[in-house]
Amino acid sequence: MRYLLLALVALGCGSRLTAAERPNIVLIGTEDISPNLGCYGDPDAITPNLDRLASQGARFTRCFTHAPVCAPSRSGLITGVYPTTLGTHHMRSKLAKVPPMLVDYLRQAGYFVAWPGKTDFNFDLPKGWVDTTENWTQKPDILPKDRPWLAYINFLVTHESQVRATPEQYAKNIARLKPEERRDRSKLKLPPYFPDTPAVRECVGKYHDNITAMDYLVGDVLKLLDEKKWAGNTVVIFFGDHGWGLTRGKRWCYDSGTRVPFLVRWPGKVEAGSVREDLTCFLDIAPTLLTLAGAKVPEHMQGRVFLGEKTQPAPKYVFSCRDRMDETYDRIRSARGERFRYVKNFHPELPYAQYINYADEMPVMKDWRRLAFEGKLDKTQMLFFARTKPPEELYDLQTDPYEVNNLAGAAEHQATLKEMRSALEKWMADTKDLGELPETELIKRGLVKDVLSTEYEERIKLHPKTPPIP
């Protein structure tokens, strides 16, 4: 029934472009990285292949995900709909029904879709959801010659878990790095909210080393496109699924959790070496690709077209959400403009540093928590370990890129605070934010499956009984 309905929709979605006018599409995704690439000016980055890709296309400086964690972020990317509208906003939840996806509409428009490896959309996928899940980078001949295609590839080497991988796994991850590409831990730049310890520096160093390892893999894909003579008619989009996997990045509605690298190459259509500063978000990918494919954009999609002749105006704000992270609940919403970020904490009584079993395995968090208990953090480092959160936060990213100076109480910024608060409230109302409903109610209504009593019951039992605050 689902595919019959999509087929009926497709009667109005068929391509209006000729085969020659419809480009192939390559999506290159990687895990848990902020814009820590050479082309973004990071002094610790060694990313020659991605820097070259940026020089051949556009580098987006203000691209954001709508959720600073994997599955909610990816659910929006594949559907073009906010996770708070779908019901995929909790990290590790599962929709009861499969929603319409970008790949459905592309296939109806005549595209062949190859999607090997990671999905992680917070819903189960039906059999035959794409044309192939084989790794097209190893078997490029599975891509058709007689019709356009979308080919996705995802690299895991930059994932949070690989920062704390075993020595043996880490050695495998960076096997291609030259000795001079290994970072000198003593020279790395740390955010001011991190304590400066050997363990923290080691994690940040591995994070950068892993990005260089990923850069080699991206180089392999780009080389393949050249060898197959596909590059000239292929849109290549590179992105991270959310911000870096270190503490106070991933899982948090700050730039460190939501701002991502985003590079687009489309020969003859996107100016080489251009820089795009307009606000762009992951929900824009689906409508943009459908437009490039000559297909109609479904009305329920919530993004805008950012490439091609039908490019739409950029919004004044983009928005993001954080809800349950694994077994630990919190609800946060955020609006991001060109200069300011507004954060609404719906549970200010909860500390930032709640225990999350998986996240607390990170050596950064172990050192940070230990030093907090020992009273050895400075004022900035201690912010994350406050006993409560402010109801609202406002940051000037121009003067405070690490978002440590909360301006919500500053008299001179009350107009900005009020405007961004109103914009956030309107967005939540317009998109029918399901975050205000308890997850048990979503389960009761049959919108999502019950994972609370199965997957997380034992994890919650492991939590310390006292608050994780000194």
Side-chain angles (χ1 to χ4, degrees):
M1 177 61 73
R2 175 172 177 273
Y3 283 101
L4 174 60
L5 291 173
L6 286 170
L8 293 174
V9 172
L11 292 175
C13 295
S15 173
R16 299 182 298 276
L17 302 176
T18 66
E21 292 173 319
R22 294 190 292 166
N24 298 317
I25 301 163
V26 169
L27 298 179
I28 305 175
T30 195
E31 311 264 337
D32 300 15
I33 73 168
S34 295
N36 296 119
L37 311 178
C39 57
Y40 282 92
D42 190 315
D44 296 321
I46 302 174
T47 52
N49 292 301
L50 286 165
D51 297 347
R52 184 163 53 253
L53 179 65
S55 73
Q56 296 167 344
R59 173 172 58 88
F60 287 69
T61 63
R62 292 191 179 107
C63 183
F64 298 86
T65 177
H66 44 268
V69 71
C70 180
S73 178
R74 290 170 182 265
S75 71
L77 183 148
I78 197 65
T79 63
V81 178
Y82 285 108
T84 47
T85 302
L86 282 176
T88 55
H89 47 295
H90 296 295
M91 180 55 183
R92 298 296 169 237
S93 62
K94 189 169 289 187
L95 284 184
K97 297 180 181 179
V98 181
M101 293 180 282
L102 162 66
V103 293
D104 297 325
Y105 297 110
L106 281 175
R107 294 175 75 193
Q108 292 294 341
Y111 270 67
F112 179 95
V113 178
W115 198 291
K118 188 167 184 176
T119 52
D120 204 10
F121 302 140
N122 267 353
F123 51 83
D124 293 326
L125 292 164
K127 185 177 180 180
W129 73 287
V130 291
D131 294 287
T132 183
T133 56
E134 288 193 89
N135 190 335
W136 61 274
T137 65
Q138 297 175 4
K139 297 180 179 180
D141 291 339
I142 65 175
L143 299 178
K145 298 179 176 62
D146 59 346
R147 59 181 171 131
W149 41 261
L150 178 145
Y152 175 82
I153 194 69
N154 186 83
F155 296 124
L156 294 167
V157 69
T158 55
H159 188 265
E160 167 187 9
S161 60
Q162 300 310 295
V163 170
R164 51 184 175 84
T166 64
E168 295 77 16
Q169 182 61 50
Y170 173 61
K172 291 180 182 179
N173 289 344
I174 65 164
R176 295 173 73 176
L177 270 65
K178 302 178 182 66
E180 62 270 22
E181 292 174 332
R182 291 285 308 277
R183 304 313 191 283
D184 182 340
R185 278 34 175 174
S186 67
K187 297 180 179 179
L188 293 168
K189 183 179 180 180
L190 302 181
Y193 48 77
F194 276 0
D196 191 346
T197 70
V200 171
R201 287 191 168 274
E202 183 65 17
C203 284
V204 175
K206 286 181 177 178
Y207 165 78
H208 284 289
D209 290 348
N210 290 341
I211 289 178
T212 298
M214 177 270 297
D215 184 80
Y216 274 96
L217 298 174
V218 172
D220 295 339
V221 175
L222 300 178
K223 181 180 179 182
L224 174 63
L225 297 181
D226 288 337
E227 291 174 347
K228 288 291 183 178
K229 296 181 170 46
W230 289 336
N233 191 39
T234 298
V235 178
V236 176
I237 300 179
F238 169 84
F239 61 93
D241 63 345
H242 50 72
W244 72 343
L246 299 182
T247 310
R248 201 186 179 269
K250 182 177 182 178
R251 302 178 182 89
W252 293 99
C253 292
Y254 301 120
D255 270 26
S256 55
T258 63
R259 183 170 173 250
V260 297
F262 198 77
L263 308 175
V264 179
R265 185 182 75 181
W266 189 10
K269 302 290 187 178
V270 171
E271 182 183 354
S274 57
V275 177
R276 290 277 298 270
E277 296 184 342
D278 47 317
L279 288 166
T280 308
C281 77
F282 276 13
L283 295 189
D284 300 338
I285 294 174
T288 297
L289 295 186
L290 288 177
T291 300
L292 299 187
K296 183 180 178 181
V297 178
E299 291 184 2
H300 70 270
M301 287 189 176
Q302 296 166 318
R304 58 122 184 170
V305 176
F306 65 84
L307 284 179
E309 296 179 356
K310 296 187 177 182
T311 295
Q312 296 170 318
K316 188 171 185 179
Y317 301 111
V318 293
F319 303 93
S320 58
C321 62
R322 175 233 164 92
D323 293 88
R324 176 171 57 77
M325 293 292 170
D326 295 344
E327 75 280 7
T328 301
Y329 178 75
D330 202 348
R331 185 189 180 205
I332 300 172
R333 299 291 181 265
S334 181
R336 174 59 154 90
E338 291 187 355
R339 178 172 174 177
F340 289 90
R341 175 181 291 279
Y342 169 77
V343 178
K344 170 67 175 178
N345 293 308
F346 285 84
H347 292 280
E349 75 280 5
L350 297 175
Y352 295 105
Q354 290 190 84
Y355 281 105
I356 302 176
N357 289 312
Y358 186 80
D360 264 78
E361 288 300 312
M362 181 64 68
V364 172
M365 191 59 175
K366 289 178 181 290
D367 266 16
W368 205 355
R369 197 181 288 283
R370 173 180 58 80
L371 292 171
F373 274 101
E374 293 175 359
K376 296 180 180 179
L377 299 178
D378 64 28
K379 183 178 179 181
T380 299
Q381 295 163 356
M382 196 62 195
L383 288 172
F384 192 66
F385 285 88
R387 289 184 176 272
T388 59
K389 299 190 295 291
E392 296 179 300
E393 302 173 47
L394 182 70
Y395 299 102
D396 181 349
L397 278 300
Q398 183 172 296
T399 60
D400 179 26
Y402 292 103
E403 296 163 290
V404 295
N405 182 24
N406 184 9
L407 303 173
E412 64 271 28
H413 292 292
Q414 290 307 296
T416 299
L417 181 75
K418 182 178 180 180
E419 178 182 325
M420 297 188 76
R421 180 197 296 139
S422 296
L424 184 72
E425 290 172 350
K426 183 177 186 304
W427 168 73
M428 289 190 295
D430 290 347
T431 59
K432 297 178 173 58
D433 189 340
L434 292 170
E436 65 182 12
L437 296 177
E439 194 169 359
T440 51
E441 179 63 23
L442 300 178
I443 295 168
K444 181 180 178 181
R445 294 185 184 186
L447 183 61
V448 300
K449 298 180 180 179
D450 184 1
V451 300
L452 292 176
S453 60
T454 55
E455 188 170 353
Y456 296 113
E457 189 175 73
E458 293 304 315
R459 289 195 194 184
I460 293 171
K461 289 179 181 178
L462 295 174
H463 279 196
K465 298 300 182 183
T466 55
I469 303 299

